Amino acid sequence: MFKFVSAAPPESVHVLRDPSSGLDGVIVLHSTRRGPAAGGCRLWSYSSSTEAAKDAARLAEGMAYKNALADLPLGGGKAVLRLPPGPFDRRSLFQAFGREVAKLQGSYVTAEDVGTTVSDMQIASGTCRHVAGLTAVQGRPGGDPSPWTALGVFISMQEAVRRKFGADLKGMTVAVQGLGSVGSHLCGLLHGAGVKLVVAEPRSDVVARVACRYEATIVGLDAILDTKCEIFAPCALGAVIDEHAVKRLRARIVCGGANNVLATDEDGYRLADRGVLYAPDYVVNAGGIINVAAEYLGWNTEEAEMRVRQTGQRLTDVLDFADRKGLASHHAANDLARQRITASQPGWKMEVV
Ligand code: NAD
């Protein structure tokens, strides 16, 4: 297998400082070749501004790849805000954040991410119009993106089992790690398709409810990796597939909603070397960003759903490319995304309705 070494430098970095509201962060635009750089706003505790900027650069690059492979007319960017050390006024913080996003004149589109909520984005939208992930308006895309993310993952699983086993999902066993918004929606879809579910989740009320509803077997948080199953679906944390996990895993396919599933690039090669089909995370979990894009670009729900339903074909394209070039799937996804970004013509016009 060839090895992949990251990464292109970002197009621009914008430092955000507003001492009166406590705003301290950065917006990184990795690429605007395909369109406005879209990616959420993370509010998290960082030990230094450098740590925050590094994380933003990594996440912005990931968004550029995800948006390119989802065929969205969007580039990739990310805002990372440092969580103020003491009490702070959330309204002032997100108003100040909105003003900073507005200064970028539509080259960056924000939305919620880890540590931020729909209501934070509603506040930011009071000072800036380049905000998505707002409360859904009747009959239009918007609101909670997780059902769309789950649908894209489900369709990708159908594609992956066809490819790996020449079969459909009925009768297969899927081990789902994490029953939050994406994991529980995914369990509903899998149950409907006749799949046997094994689940792990630290919240006992949630795991009991899902197990009851979808006839799932509950296992401990650590035991989910050793579960005898065809598919392992990480829907909680990142970096769950590391060297140790690859050795324990009994599944033949890894396909889930979580971001940054591979602890390191090496782990993608380890999976490939063991014959495990890894469905690259940002290819299969793009349903959420498709919903956000639809909201921002003014597409209707049918258009959004049609695009989410194409996720399986997009996975096939990546896996075919990997086979043709003799690459591990995560490497193939990165290469294809870079090709798409490089091939796009800069000079887009915003199509905001
Ligand atoms: P969530 O916070 O609603 O769910 C995460 C769940 O994982 C929680 O129920 C939590 O209790 C559980 N969990 C925590 N530690 C666990 C452990 N050790 N083992 C098993 N379960 C554990 O988040 P979500 O919105 O469902 O997103 C899940 C993942 O998918 C995240 O990695 C997120 O970044 C990614 N993702 C989500 C979306 C979306 O539309 N929500 C889109 C793309 C990617």
Side-chain angles (χ1 to χ4, degrees):
M1 290 284 176
F2 298 105
K3 305 272 152 120
F4 147 71
V5 182
S6 203
E11 226 169 74
S12 61
V13 176
H14 306 267
V15 174
L16 319 177
R17 289 270 148 70
D18 177 49
S20 66
S21 63
L23 180 72
D24 176 1
V26 65
I27 295 174
V28 175
L29 306 189
H30 181 79
S31 165
T32 56
R33 284 183 77 93
R34 295 177 58 84
C41 169
R42 184 163 291 199
L43 178 66
W44 199 247
S45 205
Y46 290 92
S47 56
S48 67
S49 301
T50 311
E51 280 309 303
K54 270 206 263 181
D55 205 25
R58 178 182 69 84
L59 295 164
E61 183 175 8
M63 286 312 301
Y65 291 10
K66 181 187 271 203
N67 294 338
L69 283 195
D71 282 328
L72 295 172
L74 295 172
K78 202 84 180 183
V80 162
L81 310 183
R82 293 180 71 188
L83 191 65
F88 66 99
D89 178 353
R90 226 168 155 104
R91 173 164 289 278
S92 311
L93 187 87
F94 283 97
Q95 281 172 338
F97 172 64
R99 286 193 292 274
E100 293 297 326
V101 176
K103 284 183 195 163
L104 298 178
Q105 299 179 307
S107 55
Y108 171 61
V109 182
T110 198
E112 58 268 46
D113 189 63
V114 176
T116 58
T117 62
V118 172
S119 99
D120 296 331
M121 292 305 119
Q122 293 288 157
I123 295 168
S125 73
T127 51
C128 174
R129 69 192 178 94
H130 305 293
V131 182
L134 305 173
T135 313
V137 180
Q138 189 76 39
R140 310 286 306 172
D144 179 11
S146 44
W148 297 106
T149 303
L151 178 62
V153 172
F154 172 72
I155 287 168
S156 302
M157 276 187 191
Q158 289 178 316
E159 200 54 46
V161 294
R162 247 195 304 276
R163 196 172 183 104
K164 188 81 187 164
F165 303 115
D168 63 23
L169 275 168
K170 195 168 188 314
M172 302 257 163
T173 301
V174 179
V176 182
Q177 179 185 49
L179 301 175
S181 317
V182 175
S184 359
H185 279 110
L186 181 62
C187 284
L189 294 169
L190 291 170
H191 179 66
V195 162
K196 289 177 239 158
L197 290 165
V198 181
V199 296
E201 157 66 46
R203 294 179 297 159
S204 52
D205 54 333
V206 172
V207 75
R209 193 171 61 236
V210 172
C212 233
R213 190 158 174 199
Y214 303 126
E215 300 166 68
T217 304
I218 302 171
V219 296
L221 297 185
D222 191 48
I224 193 82
L225 272 175
D226 307 308
T227 298
K228 191 168 180 304
C229 60
E230 279 81 20
I231 304 170
F232 173 63
C235 295
L237 321 163
V240 286
I241 299 292
D242 58 12
E243 186 174 5
H244 186 56
V246 173
K247 287 187 188 138
R248 289 175 58 193
L249 207 61
R250 296 172 77 187
R252 307 312 298 154
I253 293 171
V254 174
C255 178
N259 280 315
N260 306 317
V261 165
L262 302 175
T264 66
D265 250 14
E266 287 298 324
D267 300 310
Y269 299 108
R270 289 191 179 102
L271 285 176
D273 289 344
R274 292 196 55 173
V276 177
L277 188 162
Y278 172 60
D281 46 13
Y282 66 82
V283 177
V284 302
N285 74 14
I289 190 71
I290 293 171
N291 183 52
V292 163
E295 175 190 346
Y296 185 69
L297 297 169
W299 298 337
N300 60 27
T301 306
E302 290 70 33
E303 167 90 17
E305 179 169 350
M306 189 263 290
R307 285 173 178 261
V308 174
R309 287 191 179 278
Q310 288 166 348
T311 307
Q313 183 55 49
R314 286 193 286 268
L315 174 63
T316 297
D317 294 344
V318 168
L319 297 176
D320 285 348
F321 182 77
D323 287 350
R324 276 201 308 279
K325 302 279 181 188
L327 299 171
S329 56
H330 68 302
H331 183 160
N334 291 338
D335 275 7
L336 259 185
R338 286 202 203 98
Q339 279 181 15
R340 292 244 176 111
I341 293 167
T342 311
S344 339
Q345 295 299 322
W348 45 272
K349 268 197 171 154
M350 286 215 325
E351 295 172 42
V352 185
V353 291

